[in-house]
């Protein structure tokens, strides 16, 4: 806002609150007939004091398949403000499976999430998320057996072709695998 000069000829803003993201902040002071004077300040990340699960709780899916959605945590400081650039590691703790994006950092809103969680073949499916030196958070997903496939795959060999037994076995193996994977 506007400020008046004091008896000493200096004008000061009432206060300057830096933006929520770490990094460069800029303030310009202008007066009639003069070029702007630029002030810059660098915001630094707050100290992470808490992490909470903010997404991806209660996920369900078929064993061996990818989940829709992913665990997400939010990291905050002592005053509840988001803390960006906090290193976060997601790690499988039970059930096997596959994680993509398991090492990341919180964004400017203090959030971090996995890219992909593919469930293991059977049993309980759990992982933990650890943000910096904060205690880990546990996430669980409920897996179930995929339904039996209703797809029938049939290979028709062109007239005049005579595949070897090894080639036929390779096609039969592919048919079995694709029939297992295509569930809907």
């Amino acid at each position: 806002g506007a400020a008046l000069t004091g008896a000493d000829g200096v004008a000061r803003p009432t206060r300057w609150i830096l933006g929520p993201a770490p990094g460069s902040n800029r303030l310009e002071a202008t007066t009639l007939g003069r070029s702007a004077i630029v002030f810059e300040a660098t915001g630094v990340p707050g100290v992470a004091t808490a992490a909470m699960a903010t997404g991806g709780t209660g996920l369900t899916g078929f064993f061996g398949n990818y989940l829709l959605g992913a665990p997400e945590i939010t990291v905050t400081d002592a005053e509840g403000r988001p803390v960006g650039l906090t290193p976060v590691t997601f790690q499988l703790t039970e059930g096997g499976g596959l994680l993509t994006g398991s090492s990341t950092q919180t964004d400017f809103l203090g959030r971090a999430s996995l890219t992909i969680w593919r469930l293991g073949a059977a049993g309980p499916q759990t992982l933990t998320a650890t943000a910096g030196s904060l205690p880990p958070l546990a996430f669980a997903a409920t897996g179930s057996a995929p339904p039996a496939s209703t797809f029938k795959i049939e290979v028709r060999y062109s007239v005049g072709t005579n595949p070897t037994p090894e080639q036929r076995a390779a096609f039969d193996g592919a048919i079995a695998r694709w029939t297992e994977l295509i569930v809907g």
Side-chain angles (χ1 to χ4, degrees), residues 8-38:
D8 60 359
V10 177
R12 292 178 181 84
T14 305
R15 62 182 169 179
W16 182 11
I17 299 173
L18 301 183
S24 181
N25 288 260
R26 183 181 171 125
L27 175 71
E28 288 186 5
T30 58
T31 188
L32 190 59
R34 299 303 238 175
S35 298
I37 298 173
V38 177

Side-chain angles (χ1 to χ4, degrees), residues 38-86:
V38 177
F39 299 91
E40 292 190 7
T42 301
V44 296
V47 176
T49 59
M52 65 181 142
T54 51
T57 58
L59 296 171
T60 62
F62 297 133
F63 290 122
N65 285 291
Y66 297 97
L67 294 173
L68 290 176
E72 176 188 89
I73 68 168
T74 299
V75 177
T76 57
D77 64 12
E79 295 176 11
R81 294 179 300 226
V83 178
L85 305 177
T86 301

